[in-house]
Amino acid sequence: MTQPEIIPAPATGARPLQHYLERNERKIAIWAFIAGFAFDIFTFARVDSWSAIGQQVFYLAVITAALVQMLLEDGKLRTDLDRMFAPRRWYFQYRTAIVHFFFGSLLNLYTIYFFKSSSLLVSSSFLAVLVLLLAANEWKRFKSLGLAFKFALLSLCYLSFFAHVVPVFAGSIGLMVFLLSILLGCVPLLVVAWGIRAYAPDVLGQTRRQIVVPLGLVLVFFLASYLFRLIPPVPLSLPFIGVYHGVERTRDGYQLSHERPFWRVWHNGDQLFYAQPGDKVYVFFRIFSPTRFADQVQVRWYLKDAARGWVLQDTIPINILGGRERGFRGYGVKVNYQPGRWKVQVETTDGREIGRIYFRLKAVPDAPRSFLVDIE
């Protein structure tokens, strides 16, 4: 088992900054992780942004190189730091903090992507695992796992990276696209393991324990999460959904008619829907999807039954096209309905939820009324 990395002071004399780093290695690692989170929140970009994809590739490459170096060193101390060029010496002195920073940035980014691609109720268990893994990396109990745990985090990053990048290039989502993304996500670390086997066969056992086994465990976790529909359908996301009395497409956009009072700011449209005879119920939504993305979603209408719970009433398929900055705009309409509690879910064709909205419908007699109009 590789021991925690310890950086000795250069022979020419230790600097105050280096002494401080050595005495506070744990605190610095934690703050480096937090800094990675904060940095990525302020530099968050679209899922199909070339700069964001390039940044992730760079981070993954640096983390992989650093962890492979640590594995090959097998806990041996560097005693030649004072004879290195400054950039190389700084790298060996601070690489643990660099790895923590990049891990924090990547895992924060993927947590944001997964969070935006599903309702919190559905994705909370998957997101909770991501957060627990981040926290576990700083727990003393997990420190004994050394590089094995770091390679598990790296495996999670690779699978998360390809899980959202492959659909961007494929222009669709589904089982085959997901399986392809998982297969590609395994390739980098399998290539690294094969390379170590050829370059340093004496550490083959450590390579299996610290790279291949963690990768396999994370792979099983991803496949199980997909099977139980816990993985959000990245790169799709639902930034807006609302209930309305009318939806009309105009040259300026969609006109959304509603009766919502100004003080009910937590509602989108008429989530307390007063239905007069002849009214139709519209659910309008915006779905973000990458450029050149073309697929289909399903709008499912559920009515709450006292005995059976949520009962499916209708399913409306809608084709979506990506590329718009604010997302593809669409809506479903319900003509036959009854009073009660309703739920509308927007899902992918393989049944993964993108978002939902709840509303209560009350039947009322004909009466004069005036609608407010929003433009989307």
Side-chain angles (χ1 to χ4, degrees), residues 11-24:
T12 55
R15 299 172 181 172
L17 176 60
Q18 185 175 339
H19 272 309
Y20 176 82
L21 294 175
E22 292 173 353
R23 291 194 306 268
N24 299 274

Side-chain angles (χ1 to χ4, degrees), residues 256-273:
L256 312 178
S257 302
H258 63 89
E259 296 181 287
R260 184 190 72 245
F262 72 92
W263 52 267
R264 203 183 293 271
V265 294
W266 60 92
H267 279 184
N268 289 335
D270 291 316
Q271 288 182 249
L272 180 56
F273 194 99

Side-chain angles (χ1 to χ4, degrees), residues 37 111 124-137 139 156:
F37 267 65
T111 301
S124 58
S125 55
F126 184 81
L127 296 175
V129 171
L130 292 183
V131 174
L132 286 175
L133 286 175
L134 290 175
N137 190 55
W139 294 347
L156 181 65

Side-chain angles (χ1 to χ4, degrees), residues 123-348:
S123 60
S124 58
S125 55
F126 184 81
L127 296 175
V129 171
L130 292 183
V131 174
L132 286 175
L133 286 175
L134 290 175
N137 190 55
E138 304 304 332
W139 294 347
K140 186 174 295 185
R141 177 182 302 178
F142 285 91
K143 287 295 185 180
S144 60
L145 298 177
L147 287 177
F149 187 72
K150 288 184 172 61
F151 273 111
L153 286 182
L154 182 58
S155 301
L156 181 65
C157 288
Y158 271 118
L159 293 179
S160 299
F161 172 74
F162 283 99
H164 79 266
V165 168
V166 171
V168 168
F169 288 100
S172 64
I173 58 177
L175 177 60
M176 297 308 299
V177 174
F178 175 78
L179 292 178
L180 176 61
S181 68
I182 292 300
L183 175 63
L184 293 177
C186 294
V187 168
L189 288 181
L190 291 178
V191 170
V192 166
W194 179 85
I196 293 177
R197 177 184 178 184
Y199 174 76
D202 54 315
V203 297
L204 181 59
Q206 290 181 334
T207 302
R208 289 197 187 112
R209 293 192 304 271
Q210 298 181 347
I211 298 181
V212 179
V213 172
L215 173 61
L217 294 175
V218 174
L219 176 61
V220 170
F221 165 70
F222 256 74
L223 292 175
S225 298
Y226 186 88
L227 176 64
F228 291 102
R229 298 178 180 176
L230 299 179
I231 292 184
V234 290
L236 301 181
S237 63
L238 192 74
F240 180 84
I241 183 171
V243 182
Y244 295 92
H245 274 82
V247 175
E248 182 180 356
R249 187 171 185 175
T250 67
R251 186 170 57 182
D252 298 327
Y254 283 86
Q255 291 186 350
L256 312 178
S257 302
H258 63 89
E259 296 181 287
R260 184 190 72 245
F262 72 92
W263 52 267
R264 203 183 293 271
V265 294
W266 60 92
H267 279 184
N268 289 335
D270 291 316
Q271 288 182 249
L272 180 56
F273 194 99
Y274 294 104
Q276 295 187 14
D279 279 353
K280 299 178 181 180
V281 183
Y282 293 83
V283 170
F284 176 88
F285 56 85
R286 284 191 282 108
I287 294 182
F288 169 81
S289 55
T291 305
R292 298 183 300 277
F293 192 96
D295 211 319
Q296 188 179 88
V297 298
Q298 297 178 334
V299 181
R300 296 184 181 271
W301 299 71
Y302 294 86
L303 176 64
K304 186 66 174 289
D305 182 84
R308 295 180 294 167
W310 292 107
V311 179
L312 180 64
Q313 301 294 307
D314 201 1
T315 300
I316 302 173
I318 296 179
N319 295 320
I320 63 172
L321 295 174
R324 293 188 77 253
E325 185 66 30
R326 299 192 65 212
F328 174 86
R329 296 167 297 178
Y331 64 92
V333 58
K334 187 73 173 163
V335 178
N336 298 316
Y337 52 80
Q338 61 189 77
R341 294 174 58 191
W342 286 81
K343 175 180 69 171
V344 176
Q345 292 182 184
V346 181
E347 302 177 356
T348 60

